[in-house]
Amino acid sequence: MSQATFHLREPKNEPYFSFAPGTPERDALQKELKRLKSETIEIPAIIGGKEVKTGRLLDVVCPHNHGHVLAKAHLCGEKEVAIAIEAAKKAQASWAALPWEERAAVFNKAADLVSGPYRMLMNASTMLGQSKTAHQAEIEAAGELADFFRFNSWYLQKLIEDQPFSPDGMWNRVEYRPLEGFIFAVSPFNFTAIAGNLPGAPALCGNVVLWKPAPTALYSNYFLMKVLHEAGLPDGVINFLPGEGADVGNPAMASPDLSGLHFTGSAATFHHLWKTIGNNIETYKTYPRIVGETGGKDFIMVHESADAKVIATAAIRAAFEYQGQKCSAASRMYVPDNLWSDVRKHLEEEIAQITVGDIEDFSHFMGAVIDKKAFDKISGYIEYAREAKDAEIIIGGDYDDSTGYFIKPTVILTTNPHFKTMEEEIFGPVLTVYVYKSTEFEQTLDLCESTSPYALTGAIFARDRHMLKKMSDKLRNAAGNFYINDKPTAAIVNQQPFGGSRKSGTNDKAGSIPHLYRWLSMRSMKETTNPPSDWRYPYMG
Ligand code: NAD
């Protein structure tokens, strides 16, 4: 065992490439897209470091070109979960015993791989499999993912330095143990970075993990799993289990060795998983830690002192980038009547210039929504609005799934602040606007605060400082990530720790020191240098 205290220097956020015409990165990315598209790969499960092919196959397709099969993925069930639990248990003791810096070295190397030699692979696979534009892929599949691995390693170093007070004659220490058992990491389709952080953060802390990626993000997630192994992650520490939710979830959560759930996805799925854990509570050897980040109904609240052009720009980026499929995407906006005609004019003019299409054509601002189920759900909301008496579609409203699952950026104007699309998470490129009387600002703030069960992100716009303070106070619990004169999306690791409360999750803030505590179990140790040899206390004299 080494006898030195090692130090990681404070990381910096990974800078992004622009992919502007004429840059070498643009060329490299286009080549990588072409290379990946020229073959159909097989995606096995990876259990205990070994590839496992179940023969139950799922076609992994491009959402913007659903006739193109990128991969055939082997789906797991009860049998593979049982093997994975054994593999994880086998890997557990030696991984937990490794000094923190050895584990950090693996994740730092993984960060350098995804932002270095495999940057174009991570970007291109995320673009093809999840239909992200070059920019949307770059900021997360390379940038945010590397940030998660680097900053979490640095946070772990800072965290374990924290030690209790020791009075004279005593040495108090705490050590930070990984949890006994395995963590079940269940990731969503929409961010490759989140898919990496869900198994990555617990593993960095010394835990072993069963990772169930989303079936619609398997392509990039598989490459990421391979990168982790190349970075030196020992076999069995993270086990990659492609599969449909319940097929993997039920046997994993029935295991007495479940020690934690690390989830990001919809609130409905999280409720189901939490209930399942509740029902199995007698079975577990330890109370599982439950960390979940779920949905949002993210707002933009505008005061009359705000700038119309700034609001329209923020709304367009926040509502339509990545087709509105960010948990932080703006989906309801409150605009005063004396500003609305200007805001509307800008929205109409700018949205008319947005094109939606194949992400291989870099001129598009938007690609396709993730799959048929999402397409049907989002278009269902659009049709609902089209038929409604208290709403009208003022921009967009068109959709077509003949080649890919394309939906045009859509703005609904409603006279009803409780209109369905003002309240429910749609997870698509649909923004609903409620125009309020500028004299009813206070009542509208109340509406904004209480309309949705979620509390993930929100943005306020005003020039008037008193009003910014009032809005900030009133909306204190309405969003875990709150933006002042900025759009409510694009949180950056180590700058805006991310997460929400109410029905948006447990707000454990991915990319922060408090988050890592959830994957550690403290042991307090007290050592007395001169222990007493008489049991009597002085007061007894
Ligand atoms: P989803 O709930 O449909 O699926 C998430 C994951 O859960 C997938 O891997 C899915 O296969 C799995 N799953 C479903 N049923 C399961 C079961 N019975 N057992 C085990 N696993 C099961 O969500 P999605 O469509 O992938 O992602 C979109 C949702 O995620 C949106 O609601 C969005 O707001 C949310 N999200 C939240 C955040 C955040 O930080 N708050 C970030 C990204 C996405």
Side-chain angles (χ1 to χ4, degrees), residues 301-306 308 311 333-345 413-415 433-441 444:
M301 175 74 207
V302 180
H303 181 253
E304 61 179 331
S305 65
I311 294 156
M333 180 156 83
Y334 303 82
V335 185
D337 51 3
N338 49 2
L339 206 59
W340 172 235
S341 66
D342 276 356
V343 174
R344 178 172 179 160
K345 181 171 90 52
L413 179 65
T414 182
T415 52
V433 180
Y434 172 68
V435 177
Y436 67 91
K437 289 199 185 87
S438 59
T439 49
E440 292 178 1
F441 176 64
T444 312

Side-chain angles (χ1 to χ4, degrees), residues 56-75:
R56 294 188 299 280
L57 293 174
L58 172 79
D59 279 355
V60 177
V61 302
C62 295
H64 45 271
N65 180 4
H66 45 58
H68 184 90
V69 180
L70 294 163
K72 301 222 173 248
H74 291 262
L75 299 182

Side-chain angles (χ1 to χ4, degrees), residues 184 186-191 194 212-215 243-246 249-250 253 263-267 269 272-273 293-296 327 425 427 456 498 504:
F184 185 37
V186 182
S187 54
F189 77 84
N190 63 343
F191 281 90
I194 295 178
K212 198 207 85 58
E244 296 301 339
N250 288 347
M253 288 182 294
F263 174 79
T264 300
S266 64
T269 305
H272 173 74
L273 302 187
E293 293 302 332
T294 58
C327 48
E425 184 182 51
F427 223 56
L456 191 52
F498 193 78
S504 288

Side-chain angles (χ1 to χ4, degrees), residues 253-435:
M253 288 182 294
S255 166
D257 291 304
L258 180 80
S259 59
L261 169 69
H262 197 190
F263 174 79
T264 300
S266 64
T269 305
F270 191 45
H271 292 183
H272 173 74
L273 302 187
W274 195 312
K275 278 188 212 156
T276 307
I277 291 174
N279 290 336
N280 293 340
I281 201 72
E282 315 279 354
T283 342
Y284 303 128
K285 294 179 188 160
T286 182
Y287 292 109
R289 300 272 172 90
I290 300 180
V291 174
E293 293 302 332
T294 58
K297 189 67 193 173
D298 310 302
F299 60 83
I300 295 179
M301 175 74 207
V302 180
H303 181 253
E304 61 179 331
S305 65
D307 181 303
K309 186 86 200 276
V310 166
I311 294 156
T313 304
I316 289 169
R317 284 192 163 170
F320 305 133
E321 276 183 324
Y322 192 37
Q323 297 79 263
Q325 298 173 117
K326 298 185 184 188
C327 48
S328 54
S331 59
R332 57 188 169 120
M333 180 156 83
Y334 303 82
V335 185
D337 51 3
N338 49 2
L339 206 59
W340 172 235
S341 66
D342 276 356
V343 174
R344 178 172 179 160
K345 181 171 90 52
H346 291 306
L347 286 174
E348 285 169 346
E349 282 171 9
E350 300 300 327
I351 295 173
Q353 296 173 48
I354 291 178
T355 58
V356 180
D358 190 326
I359 45 71
E360 281 186 81
D361 175 347
F362 282 23
S363 67
H364 294 309
F365 182 67
M366 292 166 61
V369 300
I370 193 70
D371 61 5
K372 172 88 175 125
K373 196 167 141 222
F375 180 86
D376 289 345
K377 181 180 165 198
I378 301 161
S379 53
Y381 277 107
I382 293 175
E383 287 315 308
Y384 178 86
R386 212 187 298 281
E387 300 299 316
K389 299 235 168 356
D390 46 0
E392 60 172 315
I393 295 170
I394 58 166
I395 300 172
D398 300 324
Y399 47 84
D400 178 359
D401 67 349
S402 48
T403 308
Y405 304 111
F406 295 115
I407 299 184
K408 288 275 171 67
T410 298
V411 180
I412 298 168
L413 179 65
T414 182
T415 52
N416 172 8
H418 293 291
F419 188 65
K420 197 171 153 108
T421 63
M422 286 295 282
E423 296 200 332
E424 295 177 15
E425 184 182 51
I426 301 172
F427 223 56
V430 180
L431 174 70
T432 307
V433 180
Y434 172 68
V435 177

